Amino acid sequence: MNRRRFKTIKYIILIAGALVMIFPFFWSLMTSFKDLREILQNPFSLIPRQFTIKNYLSVFRKVPFARYLLNSAVVASVTTLLQLGTASLAAFAFARMRFKGRDLLFYTFLATMMVPQQVVMIPQYLVVMSLNLENSYTGLIIPHAATAISIFFLRQFFLTIPQDLEDVATIDGCGALRILMNVFLPLTRPAMATIAIFSFMWSWNNYFWPLLVISEPEMRTVQLGLAMFKSEGGIQWGEFMAATVVATLPIMIAYFIAQKQFVKGITLTGLKG
């Protein structure tokens, strides 16, 4: 009886936590279907009395929001692919290859995770400007093509793969790159999916870096595009909420597609040293 009561309390707490997490998005979604008069009315009404899609139509009519979505999709997708590629190669080297200074180099990588992003942002900006990469996809992508957290995460997964599989592949004449491609990567889909979701989500939501290197309107990302709905008269709440919902959908779709692999990757990735 006590066990059943404990399980009931646990589920109540989890459901309450889920509702708290979902409510901001639900509120944004409902507000996006209201006109300005209903948004500002008192008392506040969560559910629109009359649904309207004019805010969504206005989002794409007032600003080139489709272009902003395309820019963010290109930057986030390419950044994610590059991070998967660099993390796979580096993680395999740190987990399976033996060379002088390997551990020292790995711990140096780990140390960079403790450095705040704001500290390295100015040097990155100076490098990008000196290479004339401002207002370009390259300037948005290259500084984030490799991250220490992705390398660390994938290395921990590689350490869980039995040594026997690598030994068998070596006996069959496989080199290091072929072992990585034919043995390790097929077994690390959950970890790769986890890294891909985190990378895509971070790149899609990144605001400050595009704000630094982008000045041309046609190169703005979706996060910069959201700021276009703030004017001297204040924030256009209906349009802003509609744009927010549209900007959130790609992240939700990417997560639901890779949800099983994501959960499995979090579960299986150990913290072996």
Side-chain angles (χ1 to χ4, degrees):
M1 185 67 180
N2 291 333
R3 185 176 180 181
R4 182 180 298 177
R5 185 177 303 174
F6 173 77
K7 184 178 293 186
T8 302
I9 295 174
K10 181 176 69 173
Y11 283 132
I12 292 174
I13 294 175
L14 292 174
I15 292 173
L19 292 176
V20 170
M21 298 295 292
I22 293 174
F23 179 76
F25 179 77
F26 180 75
W27 177 75
S28 300
L29 180 63
M30 292 297 101
T31 303
S32 68
F33 290 110
K34 298 178 181 179
D35 57 27
L36 185 59
R37 180 179 301 178
E38 188 174 357
I39 292 174
L40 300 178
Q41 75 175 2
N42 190 12
F44 169 76
S45 175
L46 180 61
I47 306 298
R49 296 178 180 176
Q50 184 175 2
F51 283 81
T52 177
I53 62 171
K54 66 178 184 180
N55 291 322
Y56 288 91
L57 298 176
S58 182
V59 163
F60 292 93
R61 186 172 60 248
K62 280 191 173 182
V63 299
F65 205 71
R67 173 70 184 188
Y68 301 158
L69 290 171
L70 176 62
N71 291 338
S72 288
V74 171
V75 172
S77 300
V78 177
T79 300
T80 300
L81 291 175
L82 289 176
Q83 284 199 18
L84 291 176
T86 56
S88 300
L89 295 172
F92 181 78
F94 286 133
R96 295 300 191 176
M97 299 180 70
R98 295 176 176 84
F99 55 89
K100 187 175 181 180
R102 183 192 66 174
D103 293 339
L104 177 61
L105 184 59
F106 176 68
Y107 292 133
T108 303
F109 265 91
L110 289 185
T112 63
M113 296 170 57
M114 305 177 190
V115 180
Q117 182 64 29
Q118 292 80 2
V119 174
V120 300
M121 193 165 290
I122 297 303
Q124 286 178 342
Y125 172 76
L126 294 176
V127 171
V128 167
M129 297 303 289
S130 64
L131 296 175
N132 296 320
L133 297 178
E134 68 274 18
N135 294 311
S136 67
Y137 289 138
T138 305
L140 291 171
I141 294 171
I142 293 301
H144 307 109
T147 60
I149 184 64
S150 298
I151 296 172
F152 170 74
F153 189 87
L154 198 56
R155 172 189 178 269
Q156 301 310 109
F157 202 97
F158 282 169
L159 290 174
T160 65
I161 297 177
Q163 180 67 35
D164 294 344
L165 295 176
E166 183 179 352
D167 294 339
V168 171
T170 302
I171 294 174
D172 288 341
C174 294
L177 185 59
R178 190 173 178 184
I179 292 174
L180 171 63
M181 298 297 296
N182 295 346
V183 178
F184 278 70
L185 292 186
L187 296 174
T188 56
R189 290 178 182 175
M192 300 287 279
T194 303
I195 294 173
I197 289 177
F198 278 127
S199 175
F200 187 89
M201 181 175 61
W202 181 89
S203 183
W204 184 273
N205 293 328
N206 192 7
Y207 173 78
F208 196 59
W209 180 249
L211 182 64
L212 285 179
V213 300
I214 298 300
S215 59
E216 296 181 2
E218 64 272 12
M219 287 301 300
R220 288 174 179 154
T221 59
V222 68
Q223 301 303 325
L224 297 181
L226 292 176
M228 301 299 294
F229 297 98
K230 182 178 180 181
S231 61
E232 294 181 358
I235 299 177
Q236 305 298 317
W237 287 109
E239 298 171 359
F240 181 77
M241 291 302 178
T244 301
V245 171
V246 173
T248 306
L249 287 178
I251 298 295
M252 298 181 63
I253 294 172
Y255 174 75
F256 283 122
I257 291 175
Q259 181 180 9
K260 291 183 179 180
Q261 296 294 331
F262 175 79
V263 175
K264 189 175 180 181
I266 293 293
T267 304
L268 295 181
T269 302
L271 296 177
K272 295 168 60 178

